[in-house]
Amino acid sequence: MNPIRAIHSLGQSIWYDNIQRRLLENGSLQALIESGEIRGITSNPTIFHQAIARSDDYDTALVPLAWAGWEAEQIFWQLAVEDICLACDLFLPLYRQTQGADGYVSLEVSPYLARDAEATLQQAQVLWQRVNRPNLMIKIPATKEGLPAIRRAIAAGINVNVTLIFDIERYQEVMDAYLSGLEDRLAAGKEIEHIASVASFFVSRLDTKLDARLPADSPLRGRAAIANTKLAYAAYQQVFSGERFARLLAHGARPQRPLWASTSTKNPASPDTLYVDNLIAPGTVNTVPPQTLEAFRDHGRAALTLTDGLDEARRVLADLEAAGHSLAQANQELEEEGVRAFADSFTALLAAIEEKRRRAAAQIGPLSASVSARVARLEADSVASRLWRSDPSLWTDDPAAQAEIRKRLGWLTLPETSRARLAEIRAAAEDVRAAGIRKFLLLGMGGSSLAPEVLSLVFSAAERFAILDSTDPAQVLEAARRFPPAESLYIVSSKSGGTAEVNAMLAYFWHLSGQDGSRFVAITDPGTSLERLGRERNFRHILLADPTVGGRFSVLADFGLFPMALMGLDLEQVLASAAGMLRECRFETPAARNPGLVLGAVLGEAALPGRDNLRDKLTLLADSPLASFGWWLEQLIAESSGKQGQGIVVVEGEPVTTPEGYGHDRIFAYFRQSGEWDAAVASLRAAGHPVLEFPVSDGYHLFREFYRWEVATAIACHVLGVNAFDQPDVQDNKDRTNAKITSYSQKGSLDEPAPFWQDAGLRLFTNLPLKGDSLSGLLKAFLALADAGNYVAINAYLPRNKETQTLLTELRLKIRARTGCATTLGFGPRFLHSTGQLHKGGADTGLFLQITADPFEDLEIPEHGMTFGVLQRAQALGDYEALAARGRRILRVHLPQIQDLIRLLETLK
């Protein structure tokens, strides 16, 4: 028989002297419990110090607490209580199965209180209430001052693990305190049958102390601890077989089991299972560290050993006394050293947390006070609980808008509810692979396409998976070249089913494929025109997504999961990663512990007028493997927040410069994997810029961030007082575009205003009274309108490829250098489904440089009566008119050909 199973059959329970968040979250502790190897767990300040100081397991929890202004000791107790609650929940089935005999988890009061009975009792009561689990034990030290606290805690109905017992005389007092507490409780007319206690007798430290005083060849070396423990067990048997306990037993009392602690072997010359093999007896517990558990599992000996040799044990202790070694003195020293050691560990633990806290708090820098106040207000307003109750009044008082919001909060539980979709999604992906199709092109806009695009790059699948989210003829042609019908599957992705760009792309690739429905999969909401069309055309698959999830929140719905399945991602791991963040974002009290809520408080406060009365621009930094994450994040935040004159401007892809190159309107978010921006981040922080840091260990970890930022965006919109789930200004752009297309269908040409300046085919359009007689002068006059806190948005209706991105990035650098303002870059019509809402509905702080060009080659859109070039130009004109109608500062530069971008760059020398 396995030695551990054998020891349990002899009536002794093995508890685990170790706790660490990683063990709680990765299933390791669960496996030990289910295997039957451990039947309880103990913790102490030293264990927590090792767990927190030597790992980053707790950083996700610690950082928001630091941002919210919590102090180190507050943070410790929050983290410790969380671990204890998780462990209690894991052990609860065993606790119930054994009817409260086992399954306990121990949490120790502050070692600073070891000599203060009243403070010890108060903290024991607070911790008992915070954890609120029947299988919790509060550890109270068996100091003289601790004894009254033990008695009163037992009388109050608290399970107690009495710790730091070294000598038998003190042990007798501990047993008396337990029995007295039960008697007090009975006298008060309260039940006692559910109260449990253990008395933790520290074993090996006595040998360590006395062996150092004995001659090297003394036969007494290594024998005192076991002898002392044998006599302690004899004392236990005597007390709990006596009349006093018998009276309590009649009322359902449980014996206070002896627990052998400090049972790892300190002397390397002794067997590593010495203090397990020789301490086995019924009704006892041995709590062991990981290395001792492994050793006993491998070569331990399970036999009843503790009751043997009692006379010999007495002789050993008598011989030690005769040799001049006072057990009473040694044990008193051990108690004092134990109290001091735990206090020192606690001090080191708090110092380690303080260092982590200080570094985390430095990330938000000048926002600290406002964020702390905001988090307190969010908690007072029960914002987290209202979010989870789907309370639309968080964002609006309008009844119609509230009704719509209630239909848009399904994203909150997608890490859980999407599991029901996995079978169908996997089956569809398998069917595609079985057909020999290995290349995939997704036709979609905004929330339907951005997350799949990000993931194709993060997981190195871009050669076989791509998205098309443009009506630019050159981009459509390039997509058709890379993904020909004979080799490819076309995924038509549209929540509404009626997205104009998607319909145009579908028409083109449907015609290109020879109208072969087996080359198409549709992802849409139930009942849309796309679903009907897919069925009529016999698409290979039609996946109907959760209609309660808005497009930009749909990464964990079918819109994201089916592309992930085609890329070969482990969908269970995807959802498990996101579910880990979901659990943390379910924290309602304290609000400071909720990483999504606290990040939302930071983003919201930064977007309100602050330093120099400016609104901070969220500037994204990311290590190379994660660089594309900003594309999705920009859409999520800008389209959710940019309305009613509010909004968060997201600066994605802007080259990093020195701290002096930025104004006082920046907050940075760094997604860190390899640390390639560490030096730049350090410089930015030293200069006083807030820089939030989000470690991302691998691609799957990124799904925690997808979820965190969704929650944060919803909270930030609450702070700003806007509805996170609509996009009211997008429709105006669509209406103006449709009017242009209708006019084109009637006249055969698009209605365009006359340029106010032109030269060699290059034309300028503006709603501003600019003065100048050259391209250079007019462009510089436009940029001169930028004030501190403004941003310049380059909206390019051009092919999105490496060449244009390089040229436009150079243009961003020149504009930033000239204006000192943040710059953004969007490709049309892609950005219309991302930052377009912010441009029109956000604060009037933007200057908009729209760039259009005649296409080198145009393409007919089958059955649409127009070309892609016409559609793209109509969208640009609609965008221009929508901005001008709102009084936004806009300059449109129309190039005869794309190569004229270089000419535009030269004007800003």
Side-chain angles (χ1 to χ4, degrees), residues 607-688:
L608 294 171
R611 293 174 292 169
D612 300 333
N613 203 34
L614 303 178
R615 302 168 187 263
D616 283 355
K617 318 296 185 295
L618 178 62
T619 305
L620 306 181
L621 306 176
D623 289 341
S624 299
L626 309 172
S628 60
F629 184 61
W631 304 341
W632 173 84
L633 197 55
E634 181 181 43
Q635 189 231 3
L636 172 73
I637 295 174
E639 195 166 46
S640 297
S641 68
K643 54 206 73 165
Q644 298 173 239
Q646 300 289 347
I648 300 169
V649 176
V650 179
V651 182
E652 186 279 324
E654 185 183 61
V656 178
T657 187
T658 60
E660 298 75 26
Y662 299 109
H664 295 299
D665 62 340
R666 299 280 191 142
I667 178 173
F668 296 84
Y670 175 32
F671 298 94
R672 185 182 187 279
Q673 189 171 78
S674 60
E676 61 191 78
W677 295 110
D678 282 355
V681 164
S683 296
L684 289 168
R685 285 193 184 129

Side-chain angles (χ1 to χ4, degrees), residues 69 118 130 161 184 229 302 350 689 736 741 881:
E118 190 61 36
R130 283 184 70 175
N161 178 338
D184 294 344
T229 307
L350 296 183
H689 290 291
R736 293 174 186 275
I741 292 170
E881 287 185 4

Side-chain angles (χ1 to χ4, degrees), residues 15 66 93 100 140 150 238 305 314 317 341 359 374 419 466 469 498 555 559 574 660 692 701 739 782 825 874 886 900:
W15 289 6
I140 299 176
I150 294 164
Q238 182 178 6
T305 51
R314 292 190 181 97
L317 299 184
R359 289 201 305 266
R374 176 64 66 177
R419 293 186 181 280
D469 62 351
V555 60
F559 294 101
V574 166
E660 298 75 26
L692 315 180
H701 189 109
F782 173 68
L825 171 60
R886 288 159 175 77
D900 287 306

